[in-house]
């Protein structure tokens, strides 16, 4: 898939997100979750599509998925698709680029 991103926004440093964890960041009016899966970074909206739960507090899994701590729905961090119920609506994911120690997110993609 070709991504067309005109604006990359620095969200955090690579050191801000430990491996196999997520962190929440407020940037440009977005509440984002940034995840680190074995040195690969992913970004999504932080709010679970099923309810009021922060995905950055979820369980990051090696197959590039996150499991919500509230009711255990699973989402792909690559596509946002639902991998396990009870959620039925995908989460929004954003393209990520690492430039040196900066994690950049394409918010307008
Ligand atoms: S709030 Fe995330 S699975 Fe229910």
């Amino acid at each position: 898939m070709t991504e067309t991103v005109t604006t990359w926004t620095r969200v955090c440093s690579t050191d801000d997100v430990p491996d196999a964890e997520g962190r929440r960041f407020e940037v440009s009016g977005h509440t984002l979750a940034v995840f680190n899966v074995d040195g690969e970074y992913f970004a999504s909206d932080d709010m679970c599509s099923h309810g009021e739960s922060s995905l950055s507090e979820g369980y990051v899994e090696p197959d590039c998925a996150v499991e919500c701590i509230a009711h255990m729905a699973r989402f792909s961090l690559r596509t946002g698709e639902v991998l396990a119920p009870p959620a039925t609506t995908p989460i929004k994911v954003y393209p990520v680029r690492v430039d040196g120690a900066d994690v950049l997110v394409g918010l307008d993609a």
Side-chain angles (χ1 to χ4, degrees):
M1 184 177 77
T2 302
E3 295 165 351
T4 304
V5 177
T6 55
T7 304
W8 292 96
T9 301
R10 184 191 182 280
V11 173
C12 61
S13 164
T14 52
D15 289 344
D16 292 334
V17 187
D19 187 24
E21 293 191 22
R23 291 288 186 271
R24 179 173 45 226
F25 299 95
E26 305 278 345
V27 59
S28 300
H30 296 266
T31 303
L32 299 176
V34 175
F35 303 94
N36 176 352
V37 183
D38 202 19
E40 189 174 2
Y41 291 82
F42 299 89
S44 74
D45 283 338
D46 187 47
M47 190 63 66
C48 180
S49 66
H50 181 250
E52 299 283 315
S53 184
S54 174
L55 291 175
S56 60
E57 297 173 12
Y59 305 107
V60 177
E61 301 177 340
D63 60 345
C64 297
V66 60
E67 184 177 81
C68 179
I69 58 171
H71 310 107
M72 308 305 172
R74 293 178 75 241
F75 301 93
S76 165
L77 293 176
R78 295 192 187 281
T79 66
E81 72 177 310
V82 178
L83 301 176
T88 56
T89 303
I91 57 171
K92 182 166 176 51
V93 294
Y94 300 88
V96 173
R97 189 161 67 84
V98 174
D99 183 5
D102 294 329
V103 178
L104 309 174
V105 177
L107 293 176
D108 59 350

